[in-house]
């Protein structure tokens, strides 16, 4: 170019590059002055890896500058079968085979969303999975915009999982983001589309991908709940112990109660605390610890309740009871 305006030109528009994966990009620029004339150039380097054998064509690359569009000539590339097939440069280190969407038919980019149980009980754990398939490389980091998850209690998403899949003769890098949900309303529920915003790069303009909505039908809990049932759904256990079995009048003792198991412990009701004649009791804030283990939310909620005896003598603390609904068996349990 005869002026420095080329340095401010938009990036070239790349064709579909059928038969190739993009494994690297770089750019460089240079300005020179000769006899008072300024010249400049920008070099874009694209590293391609063919995944098909035969005669491949790189279609014309276009660039619009100053209201005029420029195009390169097509480039013919003859690809032969090598003696061995190296792994793609973009293969993730922890990759394994991935479940491939039936709708994936050779697109460069593709997103989908699904749940592992479209008809759960209210309060039962559901795992929402967002998948991003890409057959091309990009230096820019896509931005994930999750749905609002209206009608659900949601836990923060886990770390992304990466794998590889093959579809339509192409190798895809698959990134999965999972969110644990607990439905809080009964009946038909729609999870709105998730979006992935992809910034513009050397090879394409920016774009936004969107999943289909996810339709669910949340089932009510069955009749026959025990009288003490307060809404807990999952699989739980209950333990209780005193810090001492002897004490003095008006000196506090600590009653430690631990509720543990699988389910939404953040929203699970507290145990029903009994009244003890001649004793005063003081509530304390429960300590909650949760983690995702083998795809399920598990944890413990620990209570330390202060009990103060008002009179001397021997006492037996009554047993605590806790009722919950087990979605795995479809039955209510009392522990």
């Amino acid at each position: 170019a005869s002026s420095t305006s080329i340095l401010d030109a938009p990036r070239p528009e790349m064709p579909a590059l059928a038969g190739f994966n993009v494994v690297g990009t770089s750019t460089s620029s240079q300005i020179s002055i000769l006899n008072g004339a300024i010249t400049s150039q920008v070099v874009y380097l694209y590293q391609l890896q063919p995944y098909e054998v035969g005669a491949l064509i790189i279609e014309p690359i276009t660039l619009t500058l100053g209201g005029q569009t420029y195009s390169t000539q097509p480039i013919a590339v003859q690809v032969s079968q090598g003696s061995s097939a190296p792994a793609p440069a973009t293969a993730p280190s922890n990759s394994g085979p991935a479940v491939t969407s039936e709708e994936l038919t050779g697109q460069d980019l593709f997103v989908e969303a699904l749940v592992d149980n479209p008809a759960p009980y209210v309060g039962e754990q559901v795992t929402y999975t967002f998948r991003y398939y890409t057959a091309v490389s990009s230096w820019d980091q896509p931005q994930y915009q999750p749905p609002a998850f209206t009608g659900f209690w949601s836990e923060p998403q886990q770390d992304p999982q990466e794998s590889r899949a093959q579809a339509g003769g192409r190798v895809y890098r698959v990134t999965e983001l999972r969110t644990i949900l607990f439905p809080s309303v009964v009946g038909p529920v729609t999870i709105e589309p998730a979006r992935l915003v992809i910034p513009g790069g050397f090879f394409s303009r920016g774009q936004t991908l969107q999943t289909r909505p996810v339709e669910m039908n949340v089932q009510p809990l069955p009749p026959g709940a025990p009288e003490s049932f307060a809404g807990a759904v999952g699989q739980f256990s209950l333990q209780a112990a005193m810090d001492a079995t002897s004490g003095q009048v008006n000196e506090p003792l600590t009653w430690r109660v631990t509720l543990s198991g699988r389910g939404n412990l953040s929203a699970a009701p507290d145990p029903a605390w009994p009244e003890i004649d001649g004793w005063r009791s003081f509530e304390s804030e429960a300590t909650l610890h949760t983690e995702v283990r083998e795809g399920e939310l598990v944890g413990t909620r620990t209570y330390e309740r202060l009990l103060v005896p008002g009179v001397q003598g021997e006492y037996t603390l009554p047993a605590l009871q806790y009722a919950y609904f087990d979605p795995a068996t479809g039955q209510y349990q009392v522990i």
Side-chain angles (χ1 to χ4, degrees):
S2 58
S3 71
T4 58
S5 63
I6 189 66
L7 299 179
D8 300 323
R11 293 186 176 99
E13 297 182 12
M14 296 298 293
L17 296 174
F20 293 94
N21 283 327
V22 180
V23 296
T25 66
S26 64
T27 182
S28 63
S29 60
Q30 181 179 354
I31 301 176
S32 61
I33 302 176
L34 182 61
N35 297 328
I38 300 177
T39 61
S40 60
Q41 69 173 6
V42 179
V43 177
Y44 299 95
L45 177 64
Y46 312 125
Q47 292 178 303
L48 308 180
Q49 182 183 58
Y51 57 81
E52 293 183 0
V53 175
L56 304 182
I57 300 294
I58 299 176
E59 299 295 335
I61 302 168
T62 61
L63 174 68
T64 301
L65 181 64
Q68 184 174 351
T69 300
Y70 303 87
S71 299
T72 67
Q73 295 295 321
I75 301 174
V77 180
Q78 184 67 36
V79 179
S80 59
Q81 181 65 55
S83 58
S84 63
T90 57
S93 59
N94 63 337
S95 64
V99 177
T100 306
S101 169
E102 296 179 355
E103 299 181 57
L104 185 61
T105 56
Q107 306 94 316
D108 287 345
L109 307 171
F110 181 76
V111 293
E112 68 173 350
L114 63 156
V115 293
D116 61 346
N117 182 4
Y121 288 107
V122 62
E124 180 182 2
Q125 176 181 314
V126 176
T127 301
Y128 173 91
T129 300
F130 171 85
R131 291 194 185 120
Y132 168 43
Y133 299 80
T134 176
V136 296
S137 296
S138 172
W139 292 105
D140 297 308
Q141 183 66 34
Q143 298 176 357
Y144 173 56
Q145 297 179 352
F149 296 124
T150 302
F152 294 88
W153 182 295
S154 63
E155 289 292 324
Q157 66 187 40
Q158 306 169 44
D159 293 334
Q161 302 294 316
E162 294 186 343
S163 57
R164 287 194 303 161
Q166 290 187 345
R170 307 185 72 176
V171 176
Y172 287 85
R173 183 189 186 111
V174 186
T175 302
E176 282 191 356
L177 295 173
R178 297 178 182 176
T179 304
I180 290 178
L181 305 175
F182 295 94
S184 57
V185 295
V186 173
V189 180
T190 299
I191 300 177
E192 297 299 323
R195 293 176 174 81
L196 191 73
V197 179
I198 303 175
F202 290 112
F203 308 101
S204 63
R205 297 175 180 174
Q207 58 180 307
T208 299
L209 305 179
Q210 180 173 294
T211 68
R212 297 181 184 273
V214 177
E215 304 292 340
M216 297 178 60
N217 188 19
V218 181
Q219 307 300 312
L221 299 184
E227 184 178 350
S228 59
F229 177 72
V233 177
Q235 298 169 326
F236 301 100
S237 63
L238 191 67
Q239 294 179 329
M242 295 291 292
D243 65 340
T245 57
S246 63
Q248 297 183 9
V249 173
N250 293 326
E251 290 189 0
L253 300 171
T254 300
W255 191 15
R256 182 175 290 104
V257 177
T258 302
L259 176 68
S260 59
R262 304 174 183 272
N264 188 5
L265 279 165
S266 298
D270 294 336
W273 305 108
E275 295 290 338
I276 306 174
D277 292 338
W279 292 55
R280 290 172 295 159
S281 62
F282 299 90
E283 295 184 1
S284 63
E285 186 175 352
T287 301
L288 177 66
H289 172 74
T290 61
E291 63 177 319
V292 177
R293 188 181 303 161
E294 297 181 352
E296 291 187 290
L297 187 67
V298 301
T300 59
R301 184 194 283 178
T302 303
Y303 305 85
E304 291 189 347
R305 192 173 180 86
L306 294 181
L307 302 180
V308 181
V311 293
Q312 66 181 16
E314 293 186 359
Y315 295 86
T316 299
L317 293 181
L320 290 176
Q321 288 190 346
Y322 196 78
Y324 66 90
F325 176 76
D326 185 349
T329 63
Q331 301 291 326
Y332 291 95
Q333 304 289 339
V334 178
I335 52 175

mmCIF file of all heavy atoms in Angstrom, residues 91-123:
data_model
loop_
_atom_site.group_PDB
_atom_site.id
_atom_site.type_symbol
_atom_site.label_atom_id
_atom_site.label_comp_id
_atom_site.label_asym_id
_atom_site.label_seq_id
_atom_site.Cartn_x
_atom_site.Cartn_y
_atom_site.Cartn_z
ATOM 1 N N ALA A 91 -5.699 -30.674 20.691
ATOM 2 C CA ALA A 91 -6.343 -31.693 21.518
ATOM 3 C C ALA A 91 -6.098 -31.415 22.988
ATOM 4 O O ALA A 91 -4.961 -31.219 23.400
ATOM 5 C CB ALA A 91 -5.809 -33.086 21.166
ATOM 6 N N PRO A 92 -7.097 -31.346 23.822
ATOM 7 C CA PRO A 92 -6.897 -31.108 25.242
ATOM 8 C C PRO A 92 -6.231 -32.289 25.909
ATOM 9 O O PRO A 92 -6.430 -33.436 25.537
ATOM 10 C CB PRO A 92 -8.316 -30.894 25.772
ATOM 11 C CG PRO A 92 -9.210 -31.551 24.775
ATOM 12 C CD PRO A 92 -8.524 -31.457 23.453
ATOM 13 N N SER A 93 -5.422 -31.983 26.939
ATOM 14 C CA SER A 93 -4.650 -33.033 27.583
ATOM 15 C C SER A 93 -5.532 -34.042 28.312
ATOM 16 O O SER A 93 -5.154 -35.190 28.460
ATOM 17 C CB SER A 93 -3.658 -32.397 28.574
ATOM 18 O OG SER A 93 -4.351 -31.637 29.536
ATOM 19 N N ASN A 94 -6.697 -33.609 28.782
ATOM 20 C CA ASN A 94 -7.571 -34.520 29.513
ATOM 21 C C ASN A 94 -8.729 -34.997 28.665
ATOM 22 O O ASN A 94 -9.785 -35.321 29.161
ATOM 23 C CB ASN A 94 -8.108 -33.818 30.763
ATOM 24 C CG ASN A 94 -8.963 -32.610 30.425
ATOM 25 O OD1 ASN A 94 -8.819 -32.045 29.343
ATOM 26 N ND2 ASN A 94 -9.844 -32.221 31.331
ATOM 27 N N SER A 95 -8.502 -35.026 27.343
ATOM 28 C CA SER A 95 -9.604 -35.337 26.442
ATOM 29 C C SER A 95 -9.950 -36.816 26.488
ATOM 30 O O SER A 95 -9.118 -37.669 26.729
ATOM 31 C CB SER A 95 -9.240 -34.932 25.010
ATOM 32 O OG SER A 95 -8.139 -35.693 24.559
ATOM 33 N N GLY A 96 -11.211 -37.097 26.235
ATOM 34 C CA GLY A 96 -11.717 -38.440 26.081
ATOM 35 C C GLY A 96 -12.857 -38.371 25.102
ATOM 36 O O GLY A 96 -13.249 -37.296 24.670
ATOM 37 N N PRO A 97 -13.419 -39.490 24.719
ATOM 38 C CA PRO A 97 -14.528 -39.445 23.776
ATOM 39 C C PRO A 97 -15.715 -38.706 24.362
ATOM 40 O O PRO A 97 -16.024 -38.832 25.543
ATOM 41 C CB PRO A 97 -14.847 -40.927 23.531
ATOM 42 C CG PRO A 97 -14.299 -41.629 24.738
ATOM 43 C CD PRO A 97 -13.110 -40.846 25.170
ATOM 44 N N ALA A 98 -16.357 -37.899 23.559
ATOM 45 C CA ALA A 98 -17.502 -37.113 24.011
ATOM 46 C C ALA A 98 -18.758 -37.570 23.296
ATOM 47 O O ALA A 98 -18.714 -38.048 22.163
ATOM 48 C CB ALA A 98 -17.270 -35.630 23.754
ATOM 49 N N VAL A 99 -19.887 -37.418 23.970
ATOM 50 C CA VAL A 99 -21.174 -37.665 23.335
ATOM 51 C C VAL A 99 -21.400 -36.581 22.289
ATOM 52 O O VAL A 99 -21.242 -35.397 22.563
ATOM 53 C CB VAL A 99 -22.302 -37.650 24.377
ATOM 54 C CG1 VAL A 99 -23.650 -37.836 23.707
ATOM 55 C CG2 VAL A 99 -22.066 -38.733 25.421
ATOM 56 N N THR A 100 -21.748 -36.983 21.081
ATOM 57 C CA THR A 100 -21.881 -36.035 19.985
ATOM 58 C C THR A 100 -23.349 -35.757 19.705
ATOM 59 O O THR A 100 -24.158 -36.663 19.609
ATOM 60 C CB THR A 100 -21.213 -36.585 18.711
ATOM 61 O OG1 THR A 100 -19.868 -36.934 19.020
ATOM 62 C CG2 THR A 100 -21.231 -35.546 17.604
ATOM 63 N N SER A 101 -23.691 -34.495 19.569
ATOM 64 C CA SER A 101 -25.056 -34.115 19.272
ATOM 65 C C SER A 101 -25.477 -34.631 17.904
ATOM 66 O O SER A 101 -24.699 -34.618 16.953
ATOM 67 C CB SER A 101 -25.198 -32.589 19.318
ATOM 68 O OG SER A 101 -26.438 -32.192 18.798
ATOM 69 N N GLU A 102 -26.729 -35.080 17.800
ATOM 70 C CA GLU A 102 -27.241 -35.524 16.513
ATOM 71 C C GLU A 102 -27.382 -34.369 15.531
ATOM 72 O O GLU A 102 -27.458 -34.587 14.319
ATOM 73 C CB GLU A 102 -28.601 -36.216 16.708
ATOM 74 C CG GLU A 102 -28.529 -37.495 17.541
ATOM 75 C CD GLU A 102 -29.888 -38.140 17.721
ATOM 76 O OE1 GLU A 102 -30.881 -37.520 17.270
ATOM 77 O OE2 GLU A 102 -29.951 -39.237 18.296
ATOM 78 N N GLU A 103 -27.434 -33.134 16.030
ATOM 79 C CA GLU A 103 -27.569 -31.968 15.167
ATOM 80 C C GLU A 103 -26.234 -31.477 14.638
ATOM 81 O O GLU A 103 -26.195 -30.559 13.816
ATOM 82 C CB GLU A 103 -28.260 -30.836 15.923
ATOM 83 C CG GLU A 103 -29.663 -31.176 16.387
ATOM 84 C CD GLU A 103 -30.307 -30.003 17.100
ATOM 85 O OE1 GLU A 103 -30.404 -28.925 16.493
ATOM 86 O OE2 GLU A 103 -30.695 -30.154 18.263
ATOM 87 N N LEU A 104 -25.134 -32.041 15.101
ATOM 88 C CA LEU A 104 -23.810 -31.608 14.668
ATOM 89 C C LEU A 104 -23.467 -32.283 13.347
ATOM 90 O O LEU A 104 -23.214 -33.482 13.293
ATOM 91 C CB LEU A 104 -22.770 -31.956 15.740
ATOM 92 C CG LEU A 104 -21.350 -31.469 15.504
ATOM 93 C CD1 LEU A 104 -21.297 -29.953 15.410
ATOM 94 C CD2 LEU A 104 -20.439 -31.956 16.628
ATOM 95 N N THR A 105 -23.476 -31.511 12.273
ATOM 96 C CA THR A 105 -23.305 -32.093 10.934
ATOM 97 C C THR A 105 -22.189 -31.427 10.156
ATOM 98 O O THR A 105 -22.252 -31.308 8.940
ATOM 99 C CB THR A 105 -24.616 -31.974 10.145
ATOM 100 O OG1 THR A 105 -25.013 -30.587 10.101
ATOM 101 C CG2 THR A 105 -25.722 -32.794 10.787
ATOM 102 N N GLY A 106 -21.139 -30.956 10.840
ATOM 103 C CA GLY A 106 -20.000 -30.391 10.134
ATOM 104 C C GLY A 106 -19.827 -28.900 10.277
ATOM 105 O O GLY A 106 -18.971 -28.312 9.610
ATOM 106 N N GLN A 107 -20.616 -28.241 11.137
ATOM 107 C CA GLN A 107 -20.460 -26.805 11.336
ATOM 108 C C GLN A 107 -19.098 -26.512 11.981
ATOM 109 O O GLN A 107 -18.518 -27.343 12.670
ATOM 110 C CB GLN A 107 -21.572 -26.252 12.231
ATOM 111 C CG GLN A 107 -22.978 -26.567 11.785
ATOM 112 C CD GLN A 107 -23.543 -27.804 12.444
ATOM 113 O OE1 GLN A 107 -22.858 -28.811 12.543
ATOM 114 N NE2 GLN A 107 -24.782 -27.726 12.886
ATOM 115 N N ASP A 108 -18.595 -25.294 11.757
ATOM 116 C CA ASP A 108 -17.358 -24.883 12.427
ATOM 117 C C ASP A 108 -17.575 -24.773 13.935
ATOM 118 O O ASP A 108 -16.741 -25.201 14.728
ATOM 119 C CB ASP A 108 -16.870 -23.538 11.886
ATOM 120 C CG ASP A 108 -16.289 -23.654 10.485
ATOM 121 O OD1 ASP A 108 -16.009 -24.781 10.049
ATOM 122 O OD2 ASP A 108 -16.116 -22.615 9.830
ATOM 123 N N LEU A 109 -18.712 -24.182 14.319
ATOM 124 C CA LEU A 109 -19.031 -23.940 15.724
ATOM 125 C C LEU A 109 -20.455 -24.406 16.003
ATOM 126 O O LEU A 109 -21.321 -24.292 15.140
ATOM 127 C CB LEU A 109 -18.903 -22.455 16.074
ATOM 128 C CG LEU A 109 -17.577 -21.759 15.718
ATOM 129 C CD1 LEU A 109 -17.702 -20.264 15.916
ATOM 130 C CD2 LEU A 109 -16.436 -22.315 16.555
ATOM 131 N N PHE A 110 -20.676 -24.912 17.213
ATOM 132 C CA PHE A 110 -22.012 -25.405 17.537
ATOM 133 C C PHE A 110 -22.168 -25.410 19.057
ATOM 134 O O PHE A 110 -21.219 -25.701 19.789
ATOM 135 C CB PHE A 110 -22.194 -26.819 16.982
ATOM 136 C CG PHE A 110 -23.556 -27.420 17.243
ATOM 137 C CD1 PHE A 110 -24.654 -27.012 16.514
ATOM 138 C CD2 PHE A 110 -23.721 -28.388 18.223
ATOM 139 C CE1 PHE A 110 -25.913 -27.557 16.759
ATOM 140 C CE2 PHE A 110 -24.972 -28.946 18.475
ATOM 141 C CZ PHE A 110 -26.067 -28.520 17.729
ATOM 142 N N VAL A 111 -23.371 -25.078 19.544
ATOM 143 C CA VAL A 111 -23.650 -25.135 20.980
ATOM 144 C C VAL A 111 -24.952 -25.882 21.201
ATOM 145 O O VAL A 111 -25.834 -25.901 20.343
ATOM 146 C CB VAL A 111 -23.745 -23.727 21.609
ATOM 147 C CG1 VAL A 111 -22.401 -23.025 21.580
ATOM 148 C CG2 VAL A 111 -24.812 -22.880 20.932
ATOM 149 N N GLU A 112 -25.077 -26.509 22.356
ATOM 150 C CA GLU A 112 -26.306 -27.191 22.735
ATOM 151 C C GLU A 112 -26.421 -27.200 24.253
ATOM 152 O O GLU A 112 -25.430 -27.002 24.974
ATOM 153 C CB GLU A 112 -26.346 -28.621 22.203
ATOM 154 C CG GLU A 112 -25.328 -29.550 22.846
ATOM 155 C CD GLU A 112 -25.516 -30.994 22.419
ATOM 156 O OE1 GLU A 112 -26.538 -31.299 21.776
ATOM 157 O OE2 GLU A 112 -24.632 -31.820 22.729
ATOM 158 N N ALA A 113 -27.640 -27.404 24.739
ATOM 159 C CA ALA A 113 -27.899 -27.494 26.168
ATOM 160 C C ALA A 113 -28.882 -28.629 26.417
ATOM 161 O O ALA A 113 -29.791 -28.862 25.611
ATOM 162 C CB ALA A 113 -28.457 -26.178 26.714
ATOM 163 N N LEU A 114 -28.711 -29.340 27.520
ATOM 164 C CA LEU A 114 -29.584 -30.452 27.848
ATOM 165 C C LEU A 114 -29.553 -30.687 29.355
ATOM 166 O O LEU A 114 -28.673 -30.186 30.059
ATOM 167 C CB LEU A 114 -29.175 -31.721 27.119
ATOM 168 C CG LEU A 114 -27.786 -32.305 27.439
ATOM 169 C CD1 LEU A 114 -27.753 -33.784 27.129
ATOM 170 C CD2 LEU A 114 -26.707 -31.597 26.615
ATOM 171 N N VAL A 115 -30.531 -31.442 29.840
ATOM 172 C CA VAL A 115 -30.573 -31.845 31.246
ATOM 173 C C VAL A 115 -30.581 -33.357 31.313
ATOM 174 O O VAL A 115 -31.014 -34.040 30.376
ATOM 175 C CB VAL A 115 -31.809 -31.267 31.970
ATOM 176 C CG1 VAL A 115 -31.713 -29.755 32.089
ATOM 177 C CG2 VAL A 115 -33.096 -31.662 31.268
ATOM 178 N N ASP A 116 -30.101 -33.894 32.434
ATOM 179 C CA ASP A 116 -30.025 -35.352 32.561
ATOM 180 C C ASP A 116 -31.354 -35.972 32.958
ATOM 181 O O ASP A 116 -31.526 -37.187 32.858
ATOM 182 C CB ASP A 116 -28.938 -35.739 33.568
ATOM 183 C CG ASP A 116 -29.203 -35.200 34.967
ATOM 184 O OD1 ASP A 116 -30.067 -34.309 35.104
ATOM 185 O OD2 ASP A 116 -28.535 -35.649 35.918
ATOM 186 N N ASN A 117 -32.318 -35.150 33.411
ATOM 187 C CA ASN A 117 -33.632 -35.671 33.789
ATOM 188 C C ASN A 117 -34.681 -34.610 33.480
ATOM 189 O O ASN A 117 -34.822 -33.639 34.224
ATOM 190 C CB ASN A 117 -33.660 -36.034 35.274
ATOM 191 C CG ASN A 117 -34.990 -36.635 35.693
ATOM 192 O OD1 ASN A 117 -35.882 -36.858 34.870
ATOM 193 N ND2 ASN A 117 -35.138 -36.904 36.980
ATOM 194 N N PRO A 118 -35.449 -34.767 32.396
ATOM 195 C CA PRO A 118 -36.425 -33.732 32.032
ATOM 196 C C PRO A 118 -37.721 -33.791 32.840
ATOM 197 O O PRO A 118 -38.561 -32.905 32.702
ATOM 198 C CB PRO A 118 -36.703 -34.033 30.557
ATOM 199 C CG PRO A 118 -36.465 -35.499 30.420
ATOM 200 C CD PRO A 118 -35.349 -35.833 31.376
ATOM 201 N N ALA A 119 -37.895 -34.817 33.690
ATOM 202 C CA ALA A 119 -39.131 -34.932 34.477
ATOM 203 C C ALA A 119 -38.804 -35.259 35.931
ATOM 204 O O ALA A 119 -39.199 -36.305 36.458
ATOM 205 C CB ALA A 119 -40.044 -35.999 33.885
ATOM 206 N N PRO A 120 -38.086 -34.384 36.635
ATOM 207 C CA PRO A 120 -37.707 -34.665 38.021
ATOM 208 C C PRO A 120 -38.839 -34.350 38.983
ATOM 209 O O PRO A 120 -39.826 -33.691 38.645
ATOM 210 C CB PRO A 120 -36.530 -33.714 38.239
ATOM 211 C CG PRO A 120 -36.907 -32.514 37.409
ATOM 212 C CD PRO A 120 -37.592 -33.072 36.180
ATOM 213 N N TYR A 121 -38.692 -34.829 40.216
ATOM 214 C CA TYR A 121 -39.554 -34.366 41.300
ATOM 215 C C TYR A 121 -39.136 -32.946 41.689
ATOM 216 O O TYR A 121 -37.979 -32.550 41.489
ATOM 217 C CB TYR A 121 -39.430 -35.273 42.520
ATOM 218 C CG TYR A 121 -40.061 -36.631 42.369
ATOM 219 C CD1 TYR A 121 -39.280 -37.771 42.206
ATOM 220 C CD2 TYR A 121 -41.440 -36.786 42.427
ATOM 221 C CE1 TYR A 121 -39.850 -39.033 42.086
ATOM 222 C CE2 TYR A 121 -42.030 -38.045 42.304
ATOM 223 C CZ TYR A 121 -41.228 -39.155 42.131
ATOM 224 O OH TYR A 121 -41.795 -40.395 42.015
ATOM 225 N N VAL A 122 -40.051 -32.184 42.252
ATOM 226 C CA VAL A 122 -39.702 -30.878 42.783
ATOM 227 C C VAL A 122 -38.682 -31.078 43.901
ATOM 228 O O VAL A 122 -38.824 -31.949 44.750
ATOM 229 C CB VAL A 122 -40.955 -30.136 43.287
ATOM 230 C CG1 VAL A 122 -41.637 -30.876 44.423
ATOM 231 C CG2 VAL A 122 -40.606 -28.720 43.711
ATOM 232 N N GLY A 123 -37.588 -30.322 43.864
ATOM 233 C CA GLY A 123 -36.528 -30.451 44.849
ATOM 234 C C GLY A 123 -35.470 -31.474 44.519
ATOM 235 O O GLY A 123 -34.460 -31.567 45.223
#
